[in-house]
Amino acid sequence: MRLLWLGVLSRRFQHVPLRDTCRQASRGAKANKAGWEEKVENSVKWRQLEHKGPYFTPAYEPLPDGVHFFYDGKPVKLSVAAEEVATLYGKMLHLECATKEVFQRNFFRDWRKEMTAEERKLITHLDKCDFVEIHKHFMEKTEARRTLPREKKQKLKEEAEKLQQEFGYCILDGHREKIGNFKTEPPGLFRGRGDHPKMGMLKRRVMPEDVVINCSRDSKIPKPPAGHQWKEVRSDNTVMWLAAWMENIQNTFKYIILNPSSKLKGEMDWHKYEVARRLRGVVNKIRAQYQADWKSPEMKKRQLAVALYFIDKLALRTGNEKEEGETADTVGCCSLRVEHVRLHGKADGQEHVVELDFLGKDSIRYNNRVTVEKLVFQNLQHFMEDKDPGDNLFDALTTASLNKHLQSLMEGLTARVFRTYNASVTLQEQLRVLTRGLPDYPVQKEMVESGIALWFLPLPQWDIVQPTQEAEDSLTSKVLAYNRANRAVAILCNHQRAIPKTFEKSMQKLQQKIETKKAQVTEAQVELEKLKADLRTRGGSKSKSFLRKQQRLLKLEEQLARLHKKATDKEENKQVALGTAKLNYLDPRISIAWCKRFGVPIEKIYHKTQRERFAWAFNRADKDFEF
DNA sequence: TTGTGTACTTAGCAGTTTTAAA
DNA sequence: TTTAAAACTGCTAAGTACACAA
C-alpha cells in the first residue's frame, strides 16, 4: 500500500484565522478507492468528528483556615495565586526531585512571578519557607481518600464514570469511540526525566482560551465553559486530534486524542506492522548493502552504513538532534558522541569489542559490549580519530539523511521500522525456540477462542472444567515461555524499569518460603526412607500410609520446583519492563497465532485494555500467521 | 541545506484496583 | 478480615518523522 502523506494542506498551526479555518482534505480524488486505503492515501483521517471538548481541571480550592504557610517562622496568609503554587510544591515535599537544586531554583523563580508585589518583597529566600503544614494537609487528604468507606468510594467511582460518559467519548464516522485523555492536564511543577534543566518550573493551568477545538463543521460544536471562549474552532480532517493547546514549559503542543482501542488508532497500528513486515522481504538485501558500504571510499556512506548496522543489530533509536540546554542530555544513534564509545581490540576473550555507554530516551542508561566485524571496528576507529570526547561520532550524518536513504531502499522505511521489525521477529523466533518440546495443553476449542470471542460477541457460556495439575503446569510453563520471549525483546530494546521498592523484601520472603519447603521435602524424604527400610525388613506390599507419604513427597517436590521457577522469573524480571515492547513493538498477531496454536487462553497474555487495543488483530491472525 | 513547527508514537512511573496470602 | 503483592490504568514526558520556509 502506498502512503503518500500528500501534505496538500499547510500544516502551520498558528496564525490561522478564527472560524473560517476548514481544511477538509480532498474527497473526490480517489473516490474509486474504499475505506482505509483511501483514507491513508489522502491522509484523510475522518469524515465526521463530534465531541464535547476537554474536561477542565476544577478551579483551585483554597487551603482551610487551620493550614498555614510560614515564612521565617511566622505564618503568612498568601494570595490565592501564590498559595496555589505553594501547594503544588508542598505536595511534592517528600519526593526526591523536590530536593534538587535546579528544581528548587526553577520553582522559586516561577513562584515569585505569581506573588503580589508585597509577597515578593517579603518572600526572598526559599530556605526560609516552611511548607510542612501544607504537606501534612495533603498527605492526610490522600490517606482519608484511601480509607473512605466502601459506599463513598463507590459513589466517587460512579461520578468518575458519569464524567467519562459525558466527556470521554466522541463520534467518529458514525462510531462512538473512546477518547484517550479527555481531561486537560492540571497545573503542576514540571517533572522532567533525568537531569532536566527545567524541572520545578510551573506548568500553568490550561484555559479554554488556550484550546483549539477540531471537529467537523456540521457537528455539534462543543461549548466552552460559561464565560469563556475557545482559542479557535477548526475542522481539519487530516489530523487525529480533537483538541490541542500549547504547553508553557517546552512550548510544544498537547493533544486530546483517541483511545488506543479506537478503530482509527487500530488501523494506524496495523499499518505500522505491515510496513515492518515488508522490511522482512528486503532486509537481507539492505544488510548486504550496508556491509558492502563499510568499505566505501566515501566517509558519509561509511558512517551511514555503520549507523544503520547499529540501528539494525542493537535496535538503537535514530537519535534526532536536540536543542542544547532545553532538555536532559540524551542521545540516540545519530547523536552519539565520541565519549559514548569505547573500543577494545581485545576484551573478554573476544576481538573487536565495542562498548556503548550513554543515556537514551527518558535518561535510561544504555550500556552494552558487543563484538563487531573487523571493518566496523576499523571504521569506528577512523570516525573517532582527531575528535574530542564531545564531538559527534557520526558527524557526516543526520537523521533526515539517514531516513532519506532508507526511503530509497523501501517505501515507507524509516529507522524506527527496524526496531519494530527486529522486536517482532525476535518474539516469533523466541516463541518457536522456547515452546518447542512443551506438552500441549489439552483445552477445549471454546476455551481457546474464549478470549478472542470476548471482543466481538457476548461472552459464551460453557462449563468451566478445572484443568488437571499437569495441564495447569503446562499452561504455566507456556506463559512463562511467552514472558521469556517478551523479555528477550525488552532487553533488545533496552526497556528498563526501576527496581520495585519492595523487591528486596518480597524476594527475601520468597527465599524464606523456599527454605521452608526444602525442609519439608527433606523431612518427607526421611520419613519415606524409614518406611522403605521397614518394608525391606518386614516384606509384604506397600501400605496405604506408604503410598500417601509417597504422594505427599511428590507434591512437595513439585511445589518446590514451582517456587524456584517463580524466584528465577522474579529475579530475571526485576529491572526489565515488559509492557512497552508488548504495547508498541510486538505485532499482536504473532501472540494471537501462538495462543491459538498452543491452546493458551488469550487473557493469559493480554489483559482487558490490551485486548481492546489489539482488537484490529483478532480477525487478522489464524494459528498459522507468520510475521 | 538547515531550522522550525506540528503531529504522532513510545516511554516509565505512580496511583489505584484486584488478587493472593497470612 | 487484614495485609501484601501483583496487575492494571492513567498520566504526561520524550522521543521520531516529516512538511515547509528561509
Side-chain angles (χ1 to χ4, degrees):
Chain A
M1 195 197 314
R2 267 158 54 91
L3 228 194
L4 284 177
W5 300 119
L6 285 179
V8 227
L9 305 150
S10 156
R11 286 185 184 271
R12 291 203 62 114
F13 191 92
Q14 290 168 302
H15 319 301
V16 190
L18 287 171
R19 274 181 292 278
D20 62 4
T21 348
C22 181
R23 304 194 281 159
Q24 304 262 348
S26 59
R27 277 169 188 245
K30 307 261 174 178
N32 55 332
K33 299 220 169 184
W36 171 233
E37 202 166 339
E38 180 201 1
K39 276 191 191 170
V40 169
E41 291 224 356
N42 271 334
S43 74
V44 170
K45 303 290 197 324
W46 47 264
R47 301 259 178 248
Q48 179 211 9
L49 179 61
E50 185 169 305
H51 57 90
K52 293 256 318 200
Y55 173 78
F56 287 88
T57 310
Y60 172 67
E61 234 179 81
L63 289 170
D65 287 337
V67 183
H68 302 98
F69 163 75
F70 296 90
Y71 188 74
D72 213 5
K74 298 180 196 80
V76 176
K77 179 73 191 163
L78 296 168
S79 63
V80 176
E83 185 189 283
E84 180 177 3
V85 181
T87 62
L88 298 177
Y89 187 78
K91 276 178 196 168
M92 296 171 82
L93 234 43
H94 61 293
L95 300 174
E96 203 217 322
C97 63
T99 65
K100 293 191 178 166
E101 204 235 318
V102 181
F103 189 96
Q104 295 181 352
R105 197 176 49 230
N106 285 332
F107 157 69
F108 197 57
R109 194 191 49 226
D110 281 3
W111 184 31
R112 281 174 56 82
K113 287 182 204 158
E114 301 301 312
M115 293 176 187
T116 61
E118 215 175 311
E119 286 165 342
R120 228 181 340 261
K121 208 171 144 196
L122 174 71
I123 302 168
T124 52
H125 290 89
L126 183 61
D127 48 17
K128 289 186 183 171
C129 296
D130 180 349
F131 302 91
V132 171
E133 277 197 11
I134 296 177
H135 182 249
K136 198 167 149 254
H137 168 69
F138 284 104
M139 284 296 161
E140 283 167 0
K141 251 182 134 174
T142 309
E143 182 57 19
R145 206 165 42 231
R146 203 179 62 81
T147 52
L148 227 47
R150 190 183 289 264
E151 316 80 65
K152 290 245 168 96
K153 274 189 181 169
Q154 184 58 33
K155 211 175 157 216
L156 285 177
K157 211 173 164 182
E158 280 162 16
E159 279 166 20
E161 179 55 29
K162 212 178 129 202
L163 208 62
Q164 169 79 42
Q165 289 300 327
E166 188 179 350
F167 288 92
Y169 290 88
C170 66
I171 307 284
L172 194 141
D173 293 347
H175 296 280
R176 189 166 183 259
E177 298 274 25
K178 203 169 174 184
I179 298 170
N181 56 331
F182 61 89
K183 294 174 180 171
T184 60
E185 292 173 16
L189 302 181
F190 178 75
R191 294 159 78 171
R193 315 247 164 94
D195 235 341
H196 203 295
K198 296 192 172 184
M199 66 170 81
M201 281 174 66
L202 173 64
K203 190 171 73 168
R204 50 162 246 273
R205 182 177 290 269
V206 180
M207 302 302 286
E209 284 71 15
D210 301 319
V211 174
V212 179
I213 296 288
N214 191 30
C215 61
S216 31
R217 261 178 304 182
D218 49 3
S219 71
K220 252 190 248 158
I221 310 287
K223 280 203 186 82
H228 290 277
Q229 286 192 332
W230 302 122
K231 179 178 183 182
E232 184 194 326
V233 176
R234 72 170 69 161
S235 181
D236 181 353
N237 68 359
T238 68
V239 297
M240 303 202 292
W241 53 265
L242 283 62
W245 66 90
M246 176 88 78
E247 156 269 353
N248 68 298
I249 304 288
Q250 328 241 33
N251 287 324
T252 55
F253 288 107
K254 297 274 186 174
Y255 301 95
I256 301 279
I257 54 169
L258 292 170
N259 187 272
S261 62
S262 62
K263 199 162 162 268
L264 185 53
K265 279 275 191 186
E267 282 168 341
M268 301 298 280
D269 211 27
W270 171 59
H271 180 255
K272 174 181 81 182
Y273 289 112
E274 286 304 293
V275 174
R277 285 177 87 198
R278 275 199 286 122
L279 176 55
R280 187 182 194 142
V282 291
V283 75
N284 286 335
K285 211 174 114 195
I286 292 174
R287 284 172 177 160
Q289 196 193 328
Y290 70 62
Q291 286 174 22
D293 285 347
W294 292 339
K295 289 180 253 179
S296 167
E298 267 178 74
M299 168 68 106
K300 194 176 168 183
K301 228 176 189 179
R302 289 207 311 280
Q303 286 197 2
L304 200 147
V306 172
L308 195 45
Y309 169 76
F310 277 172
I311 284 168
D312 185 21
K313 184 185 168 93
L314 304 177
L316 297 193
R317 293 186 189 84
T318 178
N320 280 326
E321 234 173 287
K322 303 175 28 169
E323 214 173 320
E324 225 173 300
E326 292 290 299
T327 57
D329 177 20
T330 61
V331 297
C333 185
C334 292
S335 48
L336 277 172
R337 299 192 295 263
V338 171
E339 62 195 324
H340 300 129
V341 188
R342 292 182 77 178
L343 301 177
H344 309 277
K346 273 194 182 139
D348 319 324
Q350 305 274 330
E351 280 189 78
H352 308 127
V353 175
V354 177
E355 186 180 349
L356 294 178
D357 191 351
F358 59 89
L359 294 183
K361 181 175 178 180
D362 294 317
S363 292
I364 297 291
R365 185 177 175 198
Y366 182 94
N367 184 210
N368 196 8
R369 277 179 173 222
V370 276
T371 306
V372 300
E373 284 78 347
K374 193 176 172 188
L375 276 171
V376 172
F377 193 83
Q378 288 171 337
N379 268 310
L380 287 169
Q381 279 177 322
H382 194 193
F383 301 158
M384 291 163 78
E385 255 168 30
D386 300 323
K387 279 188 190 165
D388 290 330
D391 289 341
N392 275 341
L393 176 71
F394 301 116
D395 55 294
L397 209 57
T398 65
T399 52
S401 67
L402 178 83
N403 278 334
K404 203 175 161 200
H405 172 70
L406 292 175
Q407 288 285 354
S408 76
L409 301 175
M410 187 194 103
E411 205 176 5
L413 185 60
T414 60
R416 75 161 166 199
V417 179
F418 280 87
R419 250 168 101 82
T420 313
Y421 165 76
N422 280 313
S424 284
V425 162
T426 302
L427 177 75
Q428 187 165 276
E429 284 308 308
Q430 285 292 304
L431 284 178
R432 225 195 292 276
V433 171
L434 294 170
T435 332
R436 195 181 289 149
L438 281 181
D440 278 350
Y441 181 59
V443 281
Q444 316 282 320
K445 192 167 172 288
E446 296 78 29
M447 257 180 107
V448 179
E449 285 167 359
S450 66
I452 295 150
L454 272 176
W455 271 124
F456 306 110
L457 308 165
L459 201 60
Q461 296 294 313
W462 59 75
D463 297 333
I464 294 168
V465 188
Q466 282 299 326
T468 62
Q469 188 62 56
E470 192 186 336
E472 188 73 64
D473 281 355
S474 157
L475 181 61
T476 308
S477 299
K478 282 175 191 169
V479 173
L480 191 66
Y482 182 90
N483 288 338
R484 284 237 165 101
N486 190 162
R487 183 153 59 230
V489 178
I491 290 168
L492 174 75
C493 295
N494 200 38
H495 292 145
Q496 296 189 36
R497 60 166 179 170
I499 298 172
K501 286 186 193 89
T502 54
F503 182 83
E504 277 309 322
K505 211 174 118 197
S506 67
M507 198 62 179
Q508 266 173 11
K509 271 190 185 166
L510 190 55
Q511 288 300 345
Q512 190 73 55
K513 264 186 175 173
I514 289 176
E515 291 310 317
T516 313
K517 197 61 78 180
K518 266 186 192 164
Q520 286 176 334
V521 168
T522 315
E523 197 185 320
Q525 278 168 338
V526 170
E527 278 180 38
L528 198 67
E529 280 309 316
K530 252 191 213 159
L531 287 177
K532 272 185 190 166
D534 261 13
L535 200 67
R536 272 197 297 275
T537 47
R538 272 193 283 160
S541 60
K542 288 176 184 171
S543 65
K544 257 189 184 168
S545 128
F546 181 93
L547 292 172
R548 256 205 314 272
K549 296 264 183 211
Q550 204 171 28
Q551 276 291 317
R552 181 175 142 74
L553 176 61
L554 214 62
K555 203 165 184 179
L556 284 170
E557 280 172 341
E558 278 169 8
Q559 285 170 345
L560 180 62
R562 267 201 290 280
L563 283 174
H564 271 303
K565 226 180 211 177
K566 196 174 167 185
T568 314
D569 203 41
K570 203 178 166 80
E571 179 65 33
E572 285 176 2
N573 236 8
K574 69 174 174 189
Q575 226 172 338
V576 183
L578 298 184
T580 308
K582 205 183 220 181
L583 249 37
N584 301 299
Y585 288 103
L586 302 176
D587 188 332
R589 291 170 296 183
I590 298 170
S591 305
I592 293 166
W594 178 83
C595 281
K596 287 183 180 174
R597 205 175 307 147
F598 288 95
V600 176
I602 196 73
E603 54 270 30
K604 292 276 176 196
I605 302 301
Y606 292 135
H607 58 65
K608 185 170 158 278
T609 39
Q610 290 171 338
R611 292 198 299 272
E612 280 166 9
R613 181 190 187 102
F614 296 133
W616 63 267
F618 281 83
N619 57 1
R620 286 187 168 110
D622 62 21
K623 69 181 181 32
D624 299 317
F625 174 83
E626 285 278 328
F627 178 74

